Amino acid sequence: MQAGIDAACARACAAVAPAWPLDRAIAVNPHWHRIERPVREVAARMALLAGIRVFPGRDQLRAAWESGRIREQDLRAALARLPQAVEAGWNPERCVAALGKPLALPALPLLIDLLDDQPRRHARLAWRDAVTHQVSQTCAAYFDRLQADWQPGRGQGLYAFWRDTIGHDHGIALLMGLPGLPRGLGALPPTRADAEAWALQRLDLPEAVWADYLEAVLLSLQGWASWCAYLGWQARLEGREDPHLRDLLAIRLAWGAILLECKADAPSQQAFAEVQSAWSEAPRSLERASRELLPDEVWQLALDIGYQRELLGRLGGSAALFATPAEAGELPQAQAVFCIDVRSEPLRRALEAVWPGVNTHGFAGFFGLPAAYTPLGTEARRPQLPGLLAPSVELSELVVPAPAQGAEAARSAEASTLDRRARASRRRSLAAARQRDGASRWPAAAFSYVEAAGYTYLGALARAILPSTRARDNDDLSGLGARYRPVCRPSLIGLDPQARVDLAARVLGAMGLKRDFAPLVLLVAHASQSRNNAHAAALDCGACCGNSGEANARALARLLNEPELREGLRQRGIDIAPHTVFVAALHNTTTDEVEGFDLDLLPAQARAAWERMRAALDHACDQVRRERAPGLGLDARLPNPELLRALRRRANDAAQTRPEWGLAGNAALILAPRQRSRAAVLDGRSFLHDYDCAQDADGSLLEALMTAPLLVAHWINWQYHASTCEPERLGSGNKLLHNVVGGNIGVFEGNGGDLRIGLSRQSLHDGRRWIHEPVRLSAVIEAPEASIDGVLERHAVLRQLADNGWLHLLRVDPQQGGVWQRLGRGRWLPWETGPAAERSAA
């Protein structure tokens, strides 16, 4: 029996996707560990196991149909691509009629739901909610390392900690209206393994449905299960195993058996029989649910096709999309490399319009440096790369004074002195801050501290009431005196000269920058700006552990400016002219400002080039601010300084729940030369990564892009999709009610309940309508069919995403002409809608 229990528990735990902590937040597809199944099958499972919706609600789809967002040709094309729907008798008329009928797929019951049958149960907290609250509070205490001053003992693990806690909780029986609860707790086994066996024996379900039942149990605590899955994810990156998710499963499973022990009456036996009956029918129930969801899948696909129609139209149609690339002419006057983040697309477009001599490029915002970063004088090492990866290089701050007259030895001595003083100054400042914080939290200080220090908070109170128009503060500089801030610069450490050359060559190759360098090459990271925002890191970046790419961009720019490194690159065939300089910058996506870094290190000629770039950026940023203003409720006709002040005031407002829209609206990833999209207005909905298949003969770069940026874009797309389609279970609810748990673990909505994951409603909805449209990612790739198929053949995860309907693959082929779509398992057909699409699918 134990082998069956272990297998079922492992399957249930393996289905839960991780949720990163607040300070390292990244977007995650909450169905990530279910992608080996078709999306409709997953939708049926989630509906029956937990009442979770995967496809958009029928009211949202009906609004899209009635507004013309979904056209009849889109609906017919969707039906043509889903022959199983046509075989089941679905046609356009019947699909439209289905939008007026609510979808009724009641979840399979857990034992705890049917046991809660007392006549007065509506006058108290439901048992499911009471158990969720109790387990959630226990987890909050157990996992907290930062918030509580008095920490509990955790040496025996989560299950043992919970068992001890529940034994001393004298309020839970009163809360549940269950005076016999101590008797049930007395039957609780001492170990996790014993608890699993005890509970499953009491349930007496067929072994074939154990894994599904256990998955449903975990989904009842989706938030904490996702946190435990994150701990497991991090452990596997470090080559170890983590037991917490299995412990959580045993805890929640044991609660059902405890309640069964407490209710040895006829109604409880009837409830027990109902659970067994319902779950014995689970396979057939899942099949029926999958059939019921056929029209929802059709409408989801029609919504996706409607967006693709619009996207391809904006890209210029086949004539422009497949124009032969122009012959290389003069070198660009400047180059600017932006993150592929959708918020970069409007700024790239505006900059190119303001200064046609600029070529912009799209590249992953960690700039190819798989780094962990440790600010000067601290031990706060943090990852600066996508959460899918583990750091392999180190960044730290070094004190580098600006060039000055004098001998090299004197400048080195000055740097060493400044470094020592800066470290000491920061340590003193941070220690004083910790001491002040600690003093304010002592129980004896409840009144005395307020009386002694209360006036010092008047400034903070004034800033909260009257938000300033100050520019963004850099948190990485916290604790550093003004004297040291300009000379503390992020730098790569611990790499020998050959490793530095290898790294630089890989990064430039992935960027597509191996020749024809402009005199000025700008590396533009991005970050957001907001106050009093638990989810601030999620706005900084959707991928790189909640951090801006500033440290990466600055370190890379300084690396590429080193004469010794350039000599090594020249031997690799990458010739960077002596007059070319790399400059790091940061795009504030909340206010659309761009700040340059380390400008004091530039030679005089390069400073002139930067000033021209600075003027072009100012003009381009003003254009983007005016584009965004209506969506934020601001007047786009305001004078430039006034509009900028309004955006800064919004960013500094502690009461602002929508500092910006983040990546809302994201819908496409384009892997192609910039010329394919340069003239298109894509409304900040597309991830743009430059890729030239003519420079990738062996397809290795395409493989790297499809296994990294494509997966990251998919995760972002599905977090927004899930939070929009199922805001109650896969979104974090109302930001106004959030309370931070454990300092950085996550949030409660209110003072309890499950840990909330996903995006808040304020990041998706403006109070009147949804800002994000739940379409699945359309990946538009300019590459030969054989190259894309080769990558899919070698990577099962990508193949599952494409074949099971988790994203769309569209192929641009300049030699064949037209856009091709991947349908089914390995079939490429021309992309089209209407009657032609019906004939192609047939």
Side-chain angles (χ1 to χ4, degrees):
M1 181 178 178
Q2 188 58 49
I5 293 174
D6 288 340
C9 290
R11 277 183 55 195
C13 291
V16 181
W20 267 249
L22 294 174
D23 60 336
R24 298 185 178 186
I26 67 172
V28 180
N29 175 2
H31 310 299
W32 176 245
H33 292 310
R34 302 181 180 97
I35 62 169
E36 77 281 357
R37 301 175 186 267
V39 65
R40 178 160 50 89
E41 182 180 331
V42 172
R45 288 179 59 80
M46 296 300 285
L48 291 192
L49 297 186
I52 290 175
R53 189 166 56 207
V54 172
F55 292 125
R58 291 185 174 182
D59 55 340
Q60 293 174 277
L61 293 166
R62 183 172 60 251
W65 171 253
E66 292 174 348
S67 68
R69 164 61 182 81
I70 299 176
R71 299 180 184 175
E72 184 175 352
Q73 69 191 78
D74 305 326
L75 179 57
R76 291 186 178 277
L79 282 165
R81 296 177 196 178
L82 292 172
Q84 60 271 44
V86 177
E87 292 168 4
W90 290 97
N91 56 34
E93 294 74 22
R94 191 179 170 198
C95 286
V96 172
L99 293 179
K101 302 174 183 177
L103 184 64
L105 293 175
L108 292 167
L110 297 181
L111 180 59
I112 193 172
D113 301 317
L114 296 184
L115 287 175
D116 191 9
D117 61 352
Q118 293 176 351
R120 293 183 54 78
R121 63 185 179 278
H122 300 300
R124 56 163 171 78
L125 195 63
W127 283 0
R128 175 188 276 248
D129 295 334
V131 167
T132 296
H133 184 84
Q134 190 278 325
V135 177
S136 189
Q137 295 294 318
T138 302
C139 287
Y142 178 85
F143 289 113
D144 174 27
R145 299 293 193 278
L146 300 175
Q147 203 159 334
D149 290 323
W150 296 339
Q151 295 286 318
R154 308 179 180 90
Q156 301 302 310
L158 177 60
Y159 176 82
F161 177 79
W162 167 77
R163 187 172 181 271
D164 178 66
T165 300
I166 193 65
H168 294 87
D169 187 346
H170 302 298
I172 186 67
L174 180 64
L175 186 66
M176 299 177 73
L178 195 62
L181 182 61
R183 181 178 70 252
L185 294 175
L188 192 61
T191 69
R192 178 189 75 190
D194 290 341
E196 291 168 346
W198 172 64
L200 284 172
Q201 285 175 342
R202 296 288 281 126
L203 281 168
D204 195 26
L205 294 174
E207 187 171 344
V209 301
W210 282 1
D212 289 343
Y213 187 88
L214 296 176
E215 186 177 345
V217 167
L218 279 176
L219 287 170
S220 71
L221 281 167
Q222 169 94 2
W224 283 111
S226 299
W227 169 254
C228 292
Y230 162 76
L231 297 177
W233 181 287
Q234 295 302 114
R236 286 188 293 275
L237 287 178
E238 298 168 9
R240 57 185 178 84
E241 293 296 322
D242 184 270
H244 290 105
L245 185 55
R246 184 85 174 257
D247 280 357
L248 181 69
L249 173 57
I251 291 168
R252 183 59 179 79
L253 182 63
W255 258 113
I258 290 169
L259 295 175
L260 194 59
E261 289 284 336
C262 297
K263 289 196 65 179
D265 55 13
S268 68
Q269 292 305 310
Q270 181 181 350
F272 183 54
E274 288 180 24
V275 169
Q276 290 184 314
S277 174
W279 281 91
S280 65
E281 291 290 319
R284 285 176 286 278
S285 298
L286 288 167
E287 291 177 5
R288 286 194 298 271
S290 185
R291 289 194 298 272
E292 289 288 323
L293 286 165
L294 265 171
D296 299 85
E297 183 177 27
V298 171
W299 282 108
Q300 171 73 83
L301 183 54
L303 188 70
D304 301 343
I305 290 172
Y307 171 73
Q308 292 170 1
R309 169 175 44 78
E310 181 181 340
L311 172 66
L312 296 177
R314 292 191 178 204
L315 289 173
S318 59
L321 194 57
F322 297 101
T324 303
E327 292 295 326
E330 296 182 2
L331 291 178
Q333 295 170 305
Q335 292 160 321
V337 182
F338 288 81
C339 179
I340 66 172
D341 188 290
V342 297
R343 292 167 291 185
S344 299
E345 181 269 323
L347 183 54
R348 290 179 63 181
R349 172 168 33 90
L351 180 60
E352 291 163 345
V354 169
W355 187 4
V358 173
N359 283 355
T360 72
H361 301 260
F363 189 61
F366 71 111
F367 291 97
L369 301 186
Y373 172 54
T374 306
L376 181 80
T378 75
E379 297 180 357
R381 181 177 182 268
R382 69 171 191 242
Q384 291 272 144
L385 76 171
L388 292 164
L389 308 172
S392 58
V393 299
E394 297 293 326
L395 292 177
S396 186
E397 284 177 316
L398 300 181
V399 171
V400 181
Q405 298 297 322
E408 181 67 29
R411 291 199 296 272
S412 178
E414 178 192 7
S416 178
T417 300
L418 282 173
D419 181 272
R420 185 172 59 255
R421 291 175 178 173
R423 290 176 186 273
S425 173
R426 172 172 255 179
R427 285 171 181 151
R428 287 195 300 270
S429 177
L430 294 178
R434 285 194 297 269
Q435 189 172 14
R436 287 194 303 272
D437 181 62
S440 69
R441 293 155 64 102
W442 294 336
F447 297 102
S448 60
Y449 184 84
V450 172
E451 289 186 3
Y455 285 110
T456 66
Y457 286 92
L458 288 177
L461 181 61
R463 288 192 296 273
I465 297 173
L466 300 171
S468 74
T469 58
R470 291 175 52 191
R472 173 182 176 270
D473 288 328
N474 189 339
D475 292 338
D476 288 347
L477 300 178
S478 297
L480 274 177
R483 176 186 180 188
Y484 305 112
R485 291 186 172 205
V487 295
C488 288
R489 312 182 199 268
S491 307
L492 276 165
I493 60 173
L495 293 180
D496 60 43
Q498 188 60 46
R500 294 165 75 85
V501 172
D502 291 342
L503 178 60
R506 285 197 303 272
V507 170
L508 291 173
M511 281 185 187
L513 282 177
K514 300 176 72 173
R515 56 186 176 84
D516 299 336
F517 291 91
L520 175 67
V521 182
L522 196 63
L523 306 178
V524 189
H526 66 93
S528 69
Q529 179 182 351
S530 59
R531 290 196 62 219
N532 189 33
N533 184 2
H535 289 91
L539 296 178
D540 274 340
C541 180
C544 293
C545 293
N547 297 305
S548 79
E550 177 190 329
N552 303 55
R554 293 178 68 180
L556 181 61
R558 291 189 56 236
L559 177 70
L560 294 173
N561 284 331
E562 293 177 2
E564 299 83 0
L565 178 113
R566 291 190 179 187
E567 181 57 36
L569 289 174
R570 190 170 294 111
Q571 296 173 13
R572 301 284 190 89
I574 302 176
D575 192 1
I576 303 176
H579 65 273
T580 292
V581 294
F582 290 80
V583 176
L586 184 78
H587 172 207
N588 182 338
T589 57
T590 310
T591 62
D592 280 306
E593 298 175 86
V594 175
E595 174 187 6
F597 297 107
D598 305 317
L599 304 177
D600 55 333
L601 300 181
L602 298 179
Q605 183 179 0
R607 291 184 189 181
W610 163 253
E611 289 305 320
R612 183 175 182 187
M613 174 64 79
R614 171 77 273 169
L617 284 169
D618 286 345
H619 191 172
C621 287
D622 178 55
Q623 286 189 17
V624 177
R625 284 193 286 268
R626 295 184 189 284
E627 265 187 45
R628 293 178 54 230
L632 297 172
L634 300 175
D635 186 354
R637 297 168 296 180
L638 290 172
N640 181 16
E642 193 172 337
L643 181 56
L644 177 58
R645 283 196 297 271
L647 285 166
R648 284 184 175 179
R649 190 177 297 111
R650 183 186 187 89
N652 291 320
D653 188 350
Q656 180 55 253
T657 58
R658 298 181 181 94
E660 63 161 302
W661 285 114
L663 292 95
N666 73 85
L669 166 70
I670 300 176
L671 301 179
R674 173 57 173 158
Q675 69 186 47
R676 303 301 185 200
S677 58
R678 182 162 177 144
V681 178
L682 301 178
D683 293 333
R685 301 188 67 182
S686 298
F687 302 94
L688 299 178
H689 199 302
D690 283 52
Y691 172 69
D692 185 355
C693 61
Q695 305 299 320
D696 184 31
D698 63 355
S700 59
L701 179 54
L702 177 65
E703 186 163 11
L705 297 181
M706 290 181 67
T707 54
L710 176 57
L711 290 185
V712 167
H714 162 76
W715 273 27
I716 293 171
N717 174 259
W718 263 95
Q719 184 180 67
Y720 276 82
H721 187 287
S723 296
T724 302
C725 293
E726 185 50 78
E728 297 304 317
R729 299 293 301 280
L730 301 179
S732 58
N734 186 348
K735 187 182 288 190
L736 296 175
L737 304 178
H738 284 175
N739 284 301
V740 173
V741 179
N744 67 346
I745 292 173
V747 296
F748 286 153
E749 188 179 17
N751 69 343
D754 193 11
L755 192 72
R756 298 305 298 265
I757 60 172
L759 299 159
S760 72
R761 186 175 179 85
Q762 284 85 351
S763 288
L764 304 163
H765 197 281
D766 69 358
R768 300 182 305 277
R769 64 184 182 91
W770 292 102
I771 296 299
H772 182 72
E773 184 179 57
V775 296
R776 291 171 290 187
L777 185 75
S778 293
V780 182
I781 305 175
E782 182 173 324
E785 177 181 329
S787 298
I788 299 175
D789 284 343
V791 175
L792 296 176
E793 182 63 29
R794 291 188 293 274
H795 296 278
V797 166
L798 291 174
R799 197 165 60 250
Q800 290 168 353
L801 291 175
D803 291 345
N804 292 333
W806 295 97
L807 54 74
H808 302 286
L809 285 182
L810 305 180
R811 177 172 56 83
V812 176
D813 193 327
Q815 295 181 349
Q816 289 184 312
V819 179
W820 297 66
Q821 59 190 330
R822 192 174 195 272
L823 296 178
R825 299 182 180 273
R827 292 188 304 148
W828 290 93
L829 295 173
W831 188 96
E832 49 199 349
T833 62
E838 297 179 44
R839 291 193 298 271
S840 296

